[in-house]
Amino acid sequence: MRGLPTAIALEIGKDYAKFCYLIFMDLAAPQYFTNLDFNAKWKGHTYESRGINLNNIHTSLSTSIDKTSFDIDNTDKTMSALVLGNDTRGRNCIIYLAAVDNYGDVQDADPVFVGMLDSVTVDNRKATFDVYSHMVLWKKKTPRRIHQGTCAWVFKDSVTCRYAGGETWCDHSYNRCVALANSDNFGGFRFLPSLKEKELWWGQKS
């Protein structure tokens, strides 16, 4: 179990302090919510009072991904409009534990979970947001290039090749790219053929 920062621990002893959760969602229009029964103010932002239930935060030293979820009241259909009007998946989300005074001013706050929004389920009563650690991106497949001596780009592709002249053919060699005055966009590793028959030494010779 993680300990509280000193600043928040000191607030525990003050009679006026309340504890709450602050939720920030980095949508097109950033959203700020709190589970207090009144709005809270912190760092120039107002956290809107909503009925919020924070579910268990799952953390592990294994290869499983840290995750949590939270429910926000939707009886007034505010969350329905929010979800329909925004692409929420992959957007940053931070959940804070905060100490608040009776005026709604946050004395201090500490992030208890930092991640990205994933799936969301909405009904007439509540909206449930799933939040995963950014480590989930380690499993994401990324584009890869093959190391080859010839150019891998499609001839005249506007993004990669970028050749816009009048020639109609290319054999994907570096020499042809030079002839087309387009060598800056050559998409191969032109020195690889010259290394084919050479013995390469790594480190120092014994």
Side-chain angles (χ1 to χ4, degrees):
M1 180 176 180
R2 60 181 298 172
L4 290 174
T6 302
I8 288 186
L10 291 174
E11 295 298 330
I12 294 177
K14 297 183 178 180
D15 294 336
Y16 62 80
K18 295 180 176 65
F19 290 89
C20 67
Y21 288 110
L22 305 177
I23 296 179
F24 164 66
M25 294 190 287
D26 188 18
L27 306 183
Q31 301 295 312
Y32 304 87
F33 300 108
T34 179
N35 64 336
L36 288 170
D37 55 6
F38 53 84
N39 293 343
K41 299 180 288 290
W42 188 45
K43 292 187 175 180
H45 302 294
T46 298
Y47 287 75
E48 180 186 348
S49 173
R50 305 288 302 185
I52 295 175
N53 178 52
L54 180 64
N55 299 314
N56 291 336
I57 296 177
H58 176 270
T59 60
S60 174
L61 293 177
S62 68
T63 56
S64 62
I65 302 299
D66 295 347
K67 61 183 179 180
T68 188
S69 64
F70 55 87
D71 305 322
I72 301 184
D73 174 71
N74 188 44
T75 54
D76 60 358
K77 304 300 186 291
T78 297
M79 290 298 106
S80 296
L82 180 68
V83 171
L84 288 174
N86 289 270
D87 182 9
T88 60
R89 296 193 66 178
R91 306 307 292 264
N92 290 331
C93 179
I94 306 176
I95 303 172
Y96 299 91
L97 175 64
V100 185
D101 63 22
N102 289 326
Y103 300 100
D105 293 320
V106 174
Q107 301 302 301
D108 207 342
D110 182 56
V112 294
F113 197 89
V114 178
M116 55 195 296
L117 295 169
D118 190 57
S119 60
V120 55
T121 304
V122 183
D123 58 30
N124 292 330
R125 297 182 299 106
K126 65 182 180 180
T128 301
F129 293 86
D130 292 329
V131 189
Y132 285 80
S133 163
H134 288 95
M135 293 299 290
V136 72
L137 296 176
W138 280 93
K139 292 186 176 181
K140 186 176 181 179
K141 293 183 178 180
T142 57
R144 292 176 293 178
R145 288 180 58 191
I146 298 175
H147 290 76
Q148 59 190 44
T150 55
C151 181
W153 307 144
V154 175
F155 184 49
K156 289 194 174 183
D157 179 78
S158 60
V159 177
T160 55
C161 174
R162 299 181 182 179
Y163 176 72
E167 295 293 331
T168 59
W169 68 275
C170 179
D171 61 4
H172 298 277
S173 67
Y174 180 74
N175 290 338
R176 181 58 178 167
C177 213
V178 171
L180 297 175
N182 195 41
S183 59
D184 287 347
N185 296 316
F186 180 68
F189 300 86
R190 64 189 179 97
F191 296 107
L192 284 181
S194 65
L195 300 175
K196 185 176 180 180
E197 303 298 331
K198 290 187 178 180
E199 183 178 6
L200 301 179
W201 289 92
W202 299 94
Q204 296 180 345
K205 293 183 178 180
S206 56

